[in-house]
Amino acid sequence: METEISGPGSSSISEHSPLTFWNKDMKVRIAYIEEPPFYWTDENHLVKGADIELAEVVLRAIGVTSIEYQFTTFEELLPGVQAGRWDMNVPIFVTPERARDVAFSVPVWSLGDGFVVHHGNPKALMNYESVVMHGDAMLGLIPGQVQFNAAKSAGVSDSQIVLFNSQPEAAAALLTGKIDAFAATAVGNHVTANANPELEAIPFTNSKDGKAPVGAFSFSKSNHGLLQAVNAQLHEYLGSADHRTRMAKYGITQTEIDSVVAGKGTK
């Protein structure tokens, strides 16, 4: 599988003409950030992860012959795909606000949140409300991510929030004591904690309605051809034995897959 990291540049797919996936030398450019186990750059400068593997399987199946990866920041994902700097984004959480700006594919996973804390969780931080109650607790967040809005909605004050550009930055700050926890997906937090014995992952319970938020690939709203082709293949592939086996390598289990498979007809 080709995992070339691209430099800045325009998309290889026209935003103004129908997309035919079975043309020779069809190229798709995907933007990603550093967030294992979903997407990251390894020591050999190759792009890896559960969502990277899913993207490659789906895109190869619809006739794409060349896949390039553009590293970016979380804040640039949606503006970049809107402007045509790349063709699609790796999956992120679907929200009504984001759906006003981009077109989302069918959901590919459902993920709950959690904290990464020092081993033993010395301040007993179990959810956002416990951060509020523990007034001197400092929480690391990435602006624009759903965890930021969730923390603010729970009443976490600005004075308790430290912002970072990436999860690796937040983990480094946690290790040096600059923050007491950082919030991200529970699945991703286990990867971070397993890589460092000083850290521990604390998963949250599900929301009151029992449903965890869903994530999906995103596209420019004018890029109908690519969106439709990806959706058609996702409908066929999600929940298959091959899909489950591939995702299990990254710690993505039936818990994260089954709810979106059951609702494959919806966004």
Side-chain angles (χ1 to χ4, degrees):
M1 291 187 292
E2 181 179 348
T3 51
E4 177 183 349
I5 304 175
S6 297
S10 62
S11 166
S12 58
I13 295 176
S14 170
E15 296 285 339
H16 306 292
S17 61
L19 192 64
T20 303
F21 278 96
W22 295 271
N23 289 342
K24 273 192 170 184
D25 302 321
M26 174 65 185
K27 181 170 75 173
V28 169
R29 179 173 291 152
I30 308 173
Y32 76 102
I33 59 176
E34 295 288 328
E35 194 170 318
F38 306 102
Y39 19 78
W40 77 92
T41 313
D42 72 9
E43 63 277 6
N44 296 315
H45 306 290
L46 297 176
V47 187
K48 298 291 182 68
D51 288 336
I52 297 299
E53 191 158 336
L54 175 60
E56 296 207 357
V57 169
V58 168
L59 291 174
R60 299 299 185 193
I62 62 177
V64 173
T65 57
S66 176
I67 301 171
E68 295 182 0
Y69 291 95
Q70 172 66 55
F71 177 72
T72 190
T73 64
F74 183 85
E75 290 180 306
E76 283 299 308
L77 282 172
L78 299 190
V81 81
Q82 280 181 290
R85 297 203 299 272
W86 45 79
D87 304 305
M88 60 188 285
N89 290 324
V90 289
I92 60 172
F93 284 114
V94 178
T95 69
E97 295 77 18
R98 292 172 183 173
R100 286 198 287 265
D101 296 327
V102 298
F104 281 102
S105 72
V106 296
V108 300
W109 41 246
S110 177
L111 297 173
D113 283 350
F115 287 155
V116 177
V117 298
H118 287 280
H119 189 71
N121 196 10
K123 291 191 175 179
L125 303 176
M126 306 301 295
N127 49 38
Y128 298 115
E129 289 75 15
S130 64
V131 175
V132 176
M133 294 174 62
H134 214 301
D136 64 342
M138 302 299 292
L139 178 63
L141 296 167
I142 297 174
Q145 291 197 345
V146 295
Q147 292 84 10
F148 179 88
N149 292 334
K152 294 292 290 182
S153 296
V156 179
S157 67
D158 290 339
S159 63
Q160 291 181 279
I161 293 174
V162 183
L163 298 178
F164 299 94
N165 290 323
S166 67
Q167 287 190 17
E169 258 187 52
L174 180 59
L175 286 167
T176 58
K178 293 180 181 178
I179 57 175
D180 299 293
F182 77 82
T185 65
V187 170
N189 289 345
H190 281 295
V191 174
T192 302
N194 289 342
N196 196 309
E198 296 180 47
L199 303 180
E200 180 179 350
I202 304 293
F204 297 169
T205 56
N206 280 345
S207 58
K208 292 179 182 178
D209 62 6
K211 296 178 181 177
V214 300
F217 295 102
S218 55
F219 309 79
S220 164
K221 287 192 172 184
S222 62
N223 204 348
H224 304 295
L226 182 56
L227 171 62
Q228 290 171 2
V230 167
N231 272 344
Q233 186 59 32
L234 287 172
H235 277 293
E236 295 293 325
Y237 184 68
L238 292 177
S240 66
D242 186 74
H243 175 231
R244 292 177 185 277
T245 299
R246 288 177 183 272
M247 296 302 101
K249 297 183 299 183
Y250 302 95
I252 310 296
T253 69
Q254 63 182 13
T255 301
E256 291 78 40
I257 294 173
D258 283 351
S259 62
V260 297
V261 170
K264 276 195 287 187
T266 62
K267 279 190 179 181

